[in-house]
Amino acid sequence: MTTFMLTDTTAGKIAAQLTHLRHQMGAPAIGMVLTLVVVCEERHQYDALRAATEAAREHPSRIIIVIKREPEEAIRLDAELRIGENTPGEVVVLRLYGELTDHADSVVSPLLLPDTPVVAWWPGAAPDVPSKDAIGALAQRRITDAKGFDDGGVKSLVTRARGYARGDTDLAWARLTPWRSLLAAAFDQPVGRVRKGVVEAAAGHPSAPLLAAWLSERLGATIKVVDSPGPGLTAVRLQLGEGELAVVRTDARLATLSRPGQPDRNVALARRQTSELMAEELRRLDTDEIYEAAVKRFARTYKG
């Protein structure tokens, strides 16, 4: 892998240096399927870059990390470029200083791969309305992570739910994929009408109200969220006419599925790494209509 540092540079010089490095290594910019723009603080950049790079092994990308530094300093743009066999695509780490922190889009725009989709990801704090953010406006897909917020997640999820635009999503939703798949499979055989239910999770866990909203939307029943000792999501309990359908997770890997008239069985329900969540989200670049319905119901019904 080749790493190249540019200090007090411009977007044009960065683009030229990327072209030079590709030709030097005999690695033309082919095979990259998207540009992933990651907007984060310095404290999050290592984990964010690691997750983005691992996700890029499935979706070769130009990864642009945007770190806004001290706005009171003189205007400066520093860049770190990485390209090579150990990097599935290209990595550009940008550090913006001074007034440039308010104009990150003008730095990023010349570095986007032509004729390919753009995905924006905020692993920590994110704009209230991502689609109206300067970076978000460049992207077809905008990914936030309510769990990465300092306020615990649910309040930030409410804010973004009320400002939802097509193309938005949150990793709190991606974390629910195994739960949603398991619950959907549990209804492959007729179990009767669901009267009501609860989602149990650690207090403030942002995935819990999303799961409750999705279940309410799909089942036409009132599904509430109740606190549990955690960690994370611990159970879904649905009241049927003849008993209870329940999924209860007692550790980070396995859960127990219970249905009326059938023996309990253990099922895999492991927690996933951020890189796996990102890889899942990058598989689709159109609007997730199921998430849209769930998040709109959540925005309408959440009380807190």
Side-chain angles (χ1 to χ4, degrees), residues 259-281:
R259 287 178 290 185
Q262 298 188 32
D264 292 354
R265 65 186 181 95
N266 292 328
V267 291
L269 195 59
R271 294 189 177 91
R272 298 185 295 165
Q273 300 295 321
T274 302
S275 58
E276 297 175 82
L277 305 177
M278 285 299 298
E280 175 184 322
E281 289 300 330

Side-chain angles (χ1 to χ4, degrees), residues 173 176 178-187 193-200 207-225 233 235-240 245-247 290-291 293-295 297-298 300-301:
W173 177 250
L176 292 175
W179 284 86
R180 293 191 298 115
S181 298
L182 178 56
L183 288 164
F187 282 86
R193 181 176 176 273
V194 175
R195 296 181 174 181
K196 61 182 180 178
V198 296
V199 174
E200 301 176 4
S207 293
L210 270 182
L211 181 56
W214 173 72
L215 286 167
S216 297
E217 185 75 15
R218 306 299 288 185
L219 299 174
T222 299
I223 310 296
K224 297 182 178 180
V225 177
L233 286 167
V236 173
R237 303 180 190 276
L238 304 176
Q239 295 299 319
L240 310 172
L245 187 157
V247 177
I290 298 175
Y291 172 72
V295 81
R297 185 181 184 97
F298 168 65
R300 290 194 310 267
T301 60

Side-chain angles (χ1 to χ4, degrees), residues 142-165:
R142 295 165 295 274
I143 304 171
T144 53
D145 189 358
K147 193 176 180 182
F149 278 71
D150 293 335
D151 66 7
V154 174
K155 290 182 180 178
S156 60
L157 187 62
V158 172
T159 301
R160 261 149 294 286
R162 290 172 178 164
Y164 171 83

